Short mmCIF file of all heavy atoms in Angstrom, two decimals:
data_model
loop_
_atom_site.label_atom_id
_atom_site.label_comp_id
_atom_site.label_asym_id
_atom_site.label_seq_id
_atom_site.Cartn_x
_atom_site.Cartn_y
_atom_site.Cartn_z
N ILE V 38 114.57 98.91 107.17
CA ILE V 38 115.20 97.61 107.44
C ILE V 38 115.18 97.42 108.94
O ILE V 38 115.56 98.30 109.72
CB ILE V 38 116.67 97.55 106.95
CG1 ILE V 38 116.66 97.49 105.41
CG2 ILE V 38 117.38 96.31 107.48
CD1 ILE V 38 118.03 97.50 104.81
N TYR V 39 114.61 96.32 109.36
CA TYR V 39 114.48 95.98 110.79
C TYR V 39 115.32 94.76 111.06
O TYR V 39 115.09 93.67 110.56
CB TYR V 39 112.99 95.66 111.05
CG TYR V 39 112.54 95.39 112.46
CD1 TYR V 39 111.68 96.24 113.13
CD2 TYR V 39 112.97 94.23 113.14
CE1 TYR V 39 111.24 95.94 114.42
CE2 TYR V 39 112.58 93.95 114.41
CZ TYR V 39 111.68 94.80 115.08
OH TYR V 39 111.26 94.52 116.34
N TYR V 40 116.38 94.94 111.89
CA TYR V 40 117.32 93.88 112.24
C TYR V 40 117.09 93.47 113.67
O TYR V 40 117.21 94.28 114.57
CB TYR V 40 118.74 94.36 112.04
CG TYR V 40 119.81 93.34 112.33
CD1 TYR V 40 120.37 92.57 111.35
CD2 TYR V 40 120.28 93.12 113.64
CE1 TYR V 40 121.33 91.62 111.59
CE2 TYR V 40 121.25 92.19 113.94
CZ TYR V 40 121.80 91.43 112.92
OH TYR V 40 122.76 90.51 113.22
N LEU V 41 116.74 92.20 113.89
CA LEU V 41 116.48 91.72 115.24
C LEU V 41 117.78 91.20 115.87
O LEU V 41 118.42 90.28 115.35
CB LEU V 41 115.41 90.60 115.20
CG LEU V 41 114.92 90.12 116.56
CD1 LEU V 41 114.17 91.27 117.29
CD2 LEU V 41 114.00 88.93 116.42
N ARG V 46 110.13 88.00 117.10
CA ARG V 46 109.08 88.93 116.68
C ARG V 46 108.34 88.33 115.50
O ARG V 46 108.85 87.46 114.80
CB ARG V 46 109.67 90.29 116.26
CG ARG V 46 110.43 91.01 117.30
CD ARG V 46 109.54 91.52 118.44
NE ARG V 46 108.79 92.73 118.08
CZ ARG V 46 107.88 93.27 118.89
NH1 ARG V 46 107.59 92.70 120.06
NH2 ARG V 46 107.24 94.37 118.50
N TYR V 47 107.12 88.82 115.33
CA TYR V 47 106.33 88.46 114.13
C TYR V 47 106.01 89.76 113.38
O TYR V 47 105.78 90.79 114.00
CB TYR V 47 105.00 87.80 114.54
CG TYR V 47 105.19 86.44 115.21
CD1 TYR V 47 105.28 86.35 116.58
CD2 TYR V 47 105.31 85.31 114.44
CE1 TYR V 47 105.46 85.13 117.21
CE2 TYR V 47 105.51 84.08 115.04
CZ TYR V 47 105.57 83.99 116.42
OH TYR V 47 105.76 82.76 117.00
N HIS V 48 106.12 89.67 112.05
CA HIS V 48 105.86 90.85 111.25
C HIS V 48 104.77 90.58 110.23
O HIS V 48 104.86 89.58 109.47
CB HIS V 48 107.13 91.28 110.49
CG HIS V 48 108.15 91.92 111.38
ND1 HIS V 48 108.30 93.25 111.52
CD2 HIS V 48 109.08 91.36 112.20
CE1 HIS V 48 109.26 93.54 112.37
NE2 HIS V 48 109.74 92.39 112.81
N MET V 49 103.78 91.42 110.18
CA MET V 49 102.79 91.40 109.11
C MET V 49 103.29 92.32 108.00
O MET V 49 103.53 93.51 108.25
CB MET V 49 101.42 91.90 109.60
CG MET V 49 100.61 90.89 110.36
SD MET V 49 100.15 89.49 109.31
CE MET V 49 99.26 90.30 108.00
N LEU V 50 103.42 91.80 106.81
CA LEU V 50 103.83 92.58 105.64
C LEU V 50 102.76 92.35 104.59
O LEU V 50 102.62 91.27 104.02
CB LEU V 50 105.23 92.11 105.14
CG LEU V 50 105.95 92.96 104.09
CD1 LEU V 50 107.43 92.60 104.09
CD2 LEU V 50 105.36 92.75 102.71
N ASN V 53 101.04 88.92 104.34
CA ASN V 53 101.89 87.81 104.75
C ASN V 53 102.38 87.96 106.17
O ASN V 53 102.62 89.07 106.64
CB ASN V 53 103.12 87.68 103.83
CG ASN V 53 102.73 87.30 102.40
OD1 ASN V 53 101.73 86.62 102.20
ND2 ASN V 53 103.53 87.72 101.43
N LEU V 54 102.55 86.84 106.88
CA LEU V 54 103.06 86.84 108.24
C LEU V 54 104.43 86.19 108.23
O LEU V 54 104.61 85.07 107.75
CB LEU V 54 102.12 86.03 109.16
CG LEU V 54 102.54 85.89 110.61
CD1 LEU V 54 102.58 87.22 111.31
CD2 LEU V 54 101.63 84.92 111.34
N TYR V 55 105.39 86.89 108.82
CA TYR V 55 106.75 86.41 108.90
C TYR V 55 107.23 86.31 110.33
O TYR V 55 107.19 87.32 111.08
CB TYR V 55 107.74 87.33 108.15
CG TYR V 55 107.50 87.47 106.67
CD1 TYR V 55 106.61 88.37 106.14
CD2 TYR V 55 108.23 86.68 105.77
CE1 TYR V 55 106.45 88.53 104.79
CE2 TYR V 55 108.05 86.82 104.41
CZ TYR V 55 107.19 87.72 103.94
OH TYR V 55 107.00 87.88 102.56
N PRO V 56 107.77 85.19 110.78
CA PRO V 56 108.49 85.13 112.06
C PRO V 56 109.90 85.66 111.88
O PRO V 56 110.52 85.45 110.83
CB PRO V 56 108.47 83.65 112.43
CG PRO V 56 108.45 82.96 111.09
CD PRO V 56 107.71 83.87 110.13
N LEU V 57 110.44 86.35 112.89
CA LEU V 57 111.79 86.91 112.80
C LEU V 57 112.58 86.44 114.01
O LEU V 57 112.13 86.56 115.16
CB LEU V 57 111.73 88.46 112.75
CG LEU V 57 112.94 89.18 112.21
CD1 LEU V 57 113.09 88.89 110.72
CD2 LEU V 57 112.81 90.67 112.43
N SER V 58 113.80 85.87 113.74
CA SER V 58 114.68 85.40 114.75
C SER V 58 115.93 86.25 114.82
O SER V 58 116.24 86.97 113.89
CB SER V 58 115.06 83.94 114.50
OG SER V 58 113.90 83.11 114.46
N PRO V 59 116.68 86.21 115.96
CA PRO V 59 117.89 87.03 116.05
C PRO V 59 118.85 86.77 114.89
O PRO V 59 119.06 85.63 114.47
CB PRO V 59 118.51 86.57 117.39
CG PRO V 59 117.34 86.16 118.20
CD PRO V 59 116.38 85.50 117.20
N GLY V 60 119.41 87.88 114.39
CA GLY V 60 120.35 87.80 113.25
C GLY V 60 119.69 87.92 111.90
O GLY V 60 120.32 88.02 110.89
N GLN V 61 118.31 87.92 111.89
CA GLN V 61 117.57 88.05 110.65
C GLN V 61 117.09 89.48 110.53
O GLN V 61 116.99 90.22 111.49
CB GLN V 61 116.40 87.10 110.61
CG GLN V 61 116.77 85.65 110.61
CD GLN V 61 115.60 84.70 110.65
OE1 GLN V 61 114.43 85.12 110.76
NE2 GLN V 61 115.86 83.44 110.54
N LEU V 62 116.80 89.90 109.34
CA LEU V 62 116.32 91.26 109.07
C LEU V 62 115.19 91.22 108.03
O LEU V 62 115.07 90.29 107.26
CB LEU V 62 117.42 92.18 108.60
CG LEU V 62 118.24 91.85 107.34
CD1 LEU V 62 118.98 93.09 106.88
CD2 LEU V 62 119.26 90.74 107.62
N ILE V 63 114.34 92.23 108.10
CA ILE V 63 113.20 92.32 107.20
C ILE V 63 113.18 93.68 106.50
O ILE V 63 113.51 94.70 107.13
CB ILE V 63 111.87 92.05 107.95
CG1 ILE V 63 110.69 91.96 106.97
CG2 ILE V 63 111.59 93.05 109.04
CD1 ILE V 63 109.42 91.35 107.58
N LEU V 64 112.84 93.67 105.23
CA LEU V 64 112.83 94.89 104.41
C LEU V 64 111.40 95.28 104.10
O LEU V 64 110.57 94.45 103.68
CB LEU V 64 113.58 94.64 103.10
CG LEU V 64 113.42 95.68 102.02
CD1 LEU V 64 114.13 96.98 102.40
CD2 LEU V 64 114.00 95.17 100.69
N PHE V 65 111.10 96.59 104.25
CA PHE V 65 109.82 97.16 103.83
C PHE V 65 110.09 98.30 102.90
O PHE V 65 110.80 99.23 103.21
CB PHE V 65 109.04 97.70 105.03
CG PHE V 65 108.84 96.75 106.17
CD1 PHE V 65 109.48 96.93 107.37
CD2 PHE V 65 108.01 95.65 106.01
CE1 PHE V 65 109.31 96.07 108.43
CE2 PHE V 65 107.81 94.75 107.08
CZ PHE V 65 108.47 94.95 108.26
N GLN V 104 111.42 94.82 94.77
CA GLN V 104 110.93 93.47 94.54
C GLN V 104 111.30 92.52 95.69
O GLN V 104 110.91 91.34 95.69
CB GLN V 104 111.56 92.90 93.25
CG GLN V 104 111.14 93.67 91.99
CD GLN V 104 112.02 93.33 90.78
OE1 GLN V 104 112.80 92.38 90.82
NE2 GLN V 104 111.91 94.11 89.75
N GLY V 105 112.01 93.01 96.67
CA GLY V 105 112.61 92.15 97.67
C GLY V 105 112.07 92.28 99.07
O GLY V 105 112.79 91.95 100.05
N ASN V 106 110.82 92.76 99.23
CA ASN V 106 110.26 92.83 100.58
C ASN V 106 110.16 91.48 101.21
O ASN V 106 109.77 90.51 100.57
CB ASN V 106 108.87 93.50 100.49
CG ASN V 106 108.95 94.97 100.15
OD1 ASN V 106 109.18 95.80 101.02
ND2 ASN V 106 108.74 95.31 98.88
N GLY V 107 110.49 91.42 102.51
CA GLY V 107 110.42 90.17 103.23
C GLY V 107 111.62 89.97 104.12
O GLY V 107 112.42 90.91 104.33
N VAL V 108 111.73 88.75 104.68
CA VAL V 108 112.77 88.42 105.65
C VAL V 108 114.03 87.87 104.98
O VAL V 108 113.91 87.09 104.02
CB VAL V 108 112.24 87.40 106.68
CG1 VAL V 108 113.36 86.89 107.56
CG2 VAL V 108 111.15 88.02 107.52
N TYR V 109 115.18 88.30 105.44
CA TYR V 109 116.47 87.82 104.95
C TYR V 109 117.18 87.09 106.07
O TYR V 109 117.23 87.58 107.20
CB TYR V 109 117.32 88.95 104.41
CG TYR V 109 116.74 89.57 103.18
CD1 TYR V 109 115.67 90.45 103.22
CD2 TYR V 109 117.26 89.27 101.90
CE1 TYR V 109 115.12 91.03 102.08
CE2 TYR V 109 116.72 89.80 100.76
CZ TYR V 109 115.65 90.67 100.84
OH TYR V 109 115.12 91.22 99.69
N ARG V 110 117.75 85.92 105.78
CA ARG V 110 118.43 85.11 106.76
C ARG V 110 119.89 84.96 106.37
O ARG V 110 120.26 84.07 105.59
CB ARG V 110 117.77 83.73 106.88
CG ARG V 110 118.41 82.83 107.92
CD ARG V 110 117.65 81.51 108.03
NE ARG V 110 117.59 80.81 106.77
CZ ARG V 110 116.78 79.78 106.57
NH1 ARG V 110 115.96 79.37 107.50
NH2 ARG V 110 116.78 79.16 105.38
N PRO V 111 120.79 85.82 106.89
CA PRO V 111 122.20 85.74 106.49
C PRO V 111 122.88 84.57 107.22
O PRO V 111 122.57 84.27 108.38
CB PRO V 111 122.77 87.07 106.95
CG PRO V 111 121.90 87.53 108.03
CD PRO V 111 120.48 86.98 107.76
N MET V 152 123.07 92.57 101.68
CA MET V 152 121.82 91.93 102.01
C MET V 152 121.18 91.28 100.78
O MET V 152 120.74 90.14 100.85
CB MET V 152 120.85 92.97 102.60
CG MET V 152 119.52 92.39 103.03
SD MET V 152 118.38 93.68 103.58
CE MET V 152 117.87 94.33 101.98
N ILE V 153 121.16 91.99 99.66
CA ILE V 153 120.50 91.49 98.45
C ILE V 153 121.24 90.30 97.83
O ILE V 153 120.62 89.31 97.44
CB ILE V 153 120.35 92.62 97.44
CG1 ILE V 153 119.31 93.66 97.91
CG2 ILE V 153 119.91 92.08 96.07
CD1 ILE V 153 117.88 93.18 97.99
N THR V 156 122.52 87.09 100.93
CA THR V 156 121.64 86.65 102.02
C THR V 156 120.44 85.93 101.45
O THR V 156 119.83 86.37 100.48
CB THR V 156 121.15 87.89 102.85
OG1 THR V 156 122.27 88.58 103.35
CG2 THR V 156 120.30 87.41 104.00
N GLN V 157 120.08 84.83 102.05
CA GLN V 157 118.93 84.03 101.65
C GLN V 157 117.64 84.68 102.09
O GLN V 157 117.50 85.06 103.27
CB GLN V 157 119.00 82.62 102.23
CG GLN V 157 117.80 81.72 101.85
CD GLN V 157 117.84 80.40 102.59
OE1 GLN V 157 118.79 80.13 103.33
NE2 GLN V 157 116.85 79.58 102.37
N LYS V 158 116.69 84.83 101.18
CA LYS V 158 115.39 85.38 101.49
C LYS V 158 114.41 84.28 101.87
O LYS V 158 114.32 83.29 101.20
CB LYS V 158 114.85 86.19 100.32
CG LYS V 158 113.59 87.00 100.60
CD LYS V 158 113.29 87.97 99.49
CE LYS V 158 112.02 88.72 99.75
NZ LYS V 158 110.80 87.89 99.65
N LEU V 159 113.71 84.47 102.99
CA LEU V 159 112.77 83.47 103.49
C LEU V 159 111.46 83.52 102.81
O LEU V 159 110.99 84.59 102.42
CB LEU V 159 112.59 83.64 104.98
CG LEU V 159 113.76 83.32 105.91
CD1 LEU V 159 113.36 83.62 107.33
CD2 LEU V 159 114.21 81.90 105.75
N ALA V 160 110.78 82.38 102.74
CA ALA V 160 109.37 82.35 102.27
C ALA V 160 108.47 82.73 103.42
O ALA V 160 108.84 82.62 104.59
CB ALA V 160 109.01 80.96 101.76
N MET V 161 107.27 83.22 103.05
CA MET V 161 106.35 83.63 104.12
C MET V 161 105.80 82.39 104.84
O MET V 161 105.73 81.30 104.31
CB MET V 161 105.21 84.47 103.55
CG MET V 161 104.28 83.77 102.68
SD MET V 161 102.80 83.27 103.58
CE MET V 161 101.79 82.64 102.21
N ASN V 162 105.37 82.62 106.09
CA ASN V 162 104.88 81.53 106.92
C ASN V 162 103.54 81.93 107.52
O ASN V 162 103.49 82.84 108.33
CB ASN V 162 105.88 81.19 107.99
CG ASN V 162 105.41 80.05 108.87
OD1 ASN V 162 104.59 79.26 108.48
ND2 ASN V 162 105.97 80.00 110.06
#
Side-chain angles (χ1 to χ4, degrees):
I38 290 176
Y39 183 116
Y40 180 95
L41 187 64
R46 300 292 282 176
Y47 294 93
H48 287 263
M49 279 296 303
L50 191 161
N53 293 332
L54 176 66
Y55 296 87
L57 200 66
S58 300
Q61 297 178 354
L62 58 164
I63 187 165
L64 167 69
F65 307 111
Q104 297 165 11
N106 289 279
V108 171
Y109 292 78
R110 181 176 58 193
M152 182 186 77
I153 290 291
T156 303
Q157 177 186 0
K158 187 168 178 291
L159 292 178
M161 70 97 174
N162 180 23

